[in-house]
Amino acid sequence: MIKHLLSLAAAAGITALATAASAQGLAGAPAPFDKGGVKIAVVSFLGSGDWLQAFEAGVKRQADALGIEANISQARNDINTERQLIQQAINLGVQGIIINNGQPEAIKDVAQAALDAGIPVVAYDTNLDNPKIPQVEQSDADMARLVIGQAVKEQGEKFDGGVVYVAGFAPLDRRYAVWKDFAKRYPGIKEVATWGVVNDTVAASVADQTKAVLTANPTLSVVFAPWDEFARGVKLAIDELGVADKVKIYGVDISTSDIQAILEPNSPWVATAATNPAVVGEASVRALAQLIAGQDPGHSVLIKPTLVTRKDLVDNNIKTIEDLQAKFPAFKDSDAAKAPWIPATN
């Protein structure tokens, strides 16, 4: 059995993040953090992208500060692999599990199995509809409102729009619902196309779809891309077709490479709404640590978003996430799931 689990771990790309503090304990912290040796698992449905890298960097920073050994794995967009990785974490006897994204109906039972085994669970951006599982959320509705509101401000109350959207993913469902609300509020906004895919080559696949959509719908002038991997794909298509002056992208999420894409001359990607993915990772670890210590972080752990426009980036000479954090303090940190005994990461 152990050999099988280790093989699965290797295949899924598990990374163990251990610190010297993990064996020493944390002075003044509640049990078991006062003694050290706490091990958790972080299972992500996604398997690539700047957002995930930043999220995992935040997990590592907060885990290091708490002296936690965090075993990080990616299901690479395969729901069955995600189920297996969660079950593996249960079998290995970790003291807590963070589930990052996924399709709720497919993982509710295995998340419950963790609870039944006495292992606390925190979920990010996947609503497992379980009162015992805190939901770390980046206020998807607020992000969508911010960026779609910017689209209305810049493009007016009448335009032909399109949405890159795949149903069944909680954050995308919530963001798309806000788009539909705006379309009801402003009858001049017409949704002329919806497309999208979630796979191992999201940007490239979405680019191919977008070229077909834009060719078939020459009046489409606004694309709402509620995930930065979607926005990257749409931008690739717009650049290739040479229609950046006619079609604008309003996205969600941000990374250094996203900033570079937005800053390109005549970039069609003109605004995005985002939380700092590293901060999301930190807050997820803090929430889980409180559960492990027998404390209550609250059922909803909310990270507030920030609207970032191309003009903001240019006017403030922002070229990286680090620049954004320095010049937009609200983007650098969050009070979500903080406790006096949990060390800060910066």
Side-chain angles (χ1 to χ4, degrees):
M1 173 63 75
I2 293 297
K3 287 183 179 179
H4 170 71
L5 293 176
L6 291 176
S7 296
L8 177 61
I14 288 183
T15 303
L17 304 173
T19 66
S22 66
Q24 300 172 1
L26 191 63
F33 296 94
D34 58 338
K35 302 296 184 183
V38 175
K39 297 181 180 181
I40 67 171
V42 184
V43 179
S44 294
F45 175 75
L46 305 174
S48 63
D50 288 348
W51 190 96
L52 181 61
Q53 291 179 13
F55 172 84
E56 291 180 350
V59 166
K60 183 182 186 303
R61 281 201 298 269
Q62 191 64 75
D64 284 349
L66 279 161
I68 291 173
E69 179 181 321
N71 294 289
I72 296 179
S73 61
Q74 304 88 21
R76 297 170 182 166
N77 305 297
D78 187 310
I79 197 64
N80 290 323
T81 299
E82 185 173 30
R83 287 178 55 82
Q84 291 174 329
L85 290 170
I86 296 168
Q87 186 60 57
Q88 171 193 308
I90 297 170
N91 294 342
L92 292 177
V94 298
Q95 288 156 281
I97 300 174
I98 294 171
I99 299 175
N100 171 25
N101 276 286
Q103 295 166 305
E105 294 304 323
I107 55 177
K108 281 183 178 181
D109 61 335
V110 73
Q112 182 60 52
L115 298 179
D116 293 342
I119 301 172
V121 176
V122 166
Y124 170 70
D125 252 358
T126 181
N127 183 10
L128 299 179
D129 196 25
N130 191 316
K132 294 184 179 180
I133 299 179
Q135 302 292 308
V136 180
E137 302 172 272
Q138 54 177 353
S139 188
D140 295 290
D142 285 345
M143 284 196 295
R145 288 189 194 102
L146 283 172
V147 77
I148 299 171
Q150 185 68 15
V152 172
K153 179 180 178 181
E154 294 179 351
Q155 307 301 327
E157 299 179 5
K158 184 178 181 179
F159 56 77
D160 286 354
V163 187
V164 188
Y165 169 62
V166 178
F169 295 92
L172 299 182
D173 291 341
R174 289 192 289 261
R175 297 167 194 178
Y176 183 62
V178 174
W179 166 267
K180 299 298 283 187
D181 286 343
F182 265 80
K184 291 178 182 177
R185 191 185 317 170
Y186 300 102
I189 297 177
K190 296 181 180 179
E191 181 184 303
V192 298
T194 305
W195 67 101
V197 65
V198 175
N199 58 19
D200 277 339
T201 58
V202 174
S205 298
V206 167
D208 289 339
Q209 292 179 328
T210 303
K211 283 185 284 187
V213 168
L214 293 180
T215 300
N217 298 276
T219 62
L220 195 158
S221 61
V222 170
V223 176
F224 174 44
W227 179 22
D228 60 347
E229 291 298 312
F230 288 164
R232 293 167 192 266
V234 175
K235 182 179 179 300
L236 286 171
I238 291 174
D239 289 346
E240 186 171 331
L241 293 174
V243 293
D245 58 330
K246 299 178 181 179
V247 187
K248 303 303 179 185
I249 304 167
Y250 293 83
V252 169
D253 299 328
I254 198 166
S255 67
T256 292
S257 62
D258 293 341
I259 290 172
Q260 297 302 316
I262 295 170
L263 285 173
E264 287 178 12
N266 198 34
S267 174
W269 192 352
V270 293
T272 193
T275 56
N276 187 334
V279 170
V280 173
E282 292 173 359
S284 298
V285 173
R286 292 196 298 265
L288 185 61
Q290 289 187 50
L291 287 179
I292 293 170
Q295 299 177 0
D296 182 9
H299 185 67
S300 178
V301 179
L302 195 63
I303 316 292
K304 294 182 179 180
T306 300
L307 175 69
V308 180
T309 67
R310 188 177 189 282
K311 185 175 186 301
D312 290 330
L313 299 177
V314 172
D315 290 351
N316 291 282
N317 193 30
I318 294 171
K319 298 179 180 179
T320 66
I321 283 291
E322 289 73 25
D323 292 341
L324 188 61
Q325 291 176 168
K327 297 176 181 181
F328 279 56
F331 193 76
K332 185 177 182 180
D333 196 12
S334 170
D335 290 334
K338 285 192 173 180
W341 60 272
I342 298 179
T345 60
N346 47 43

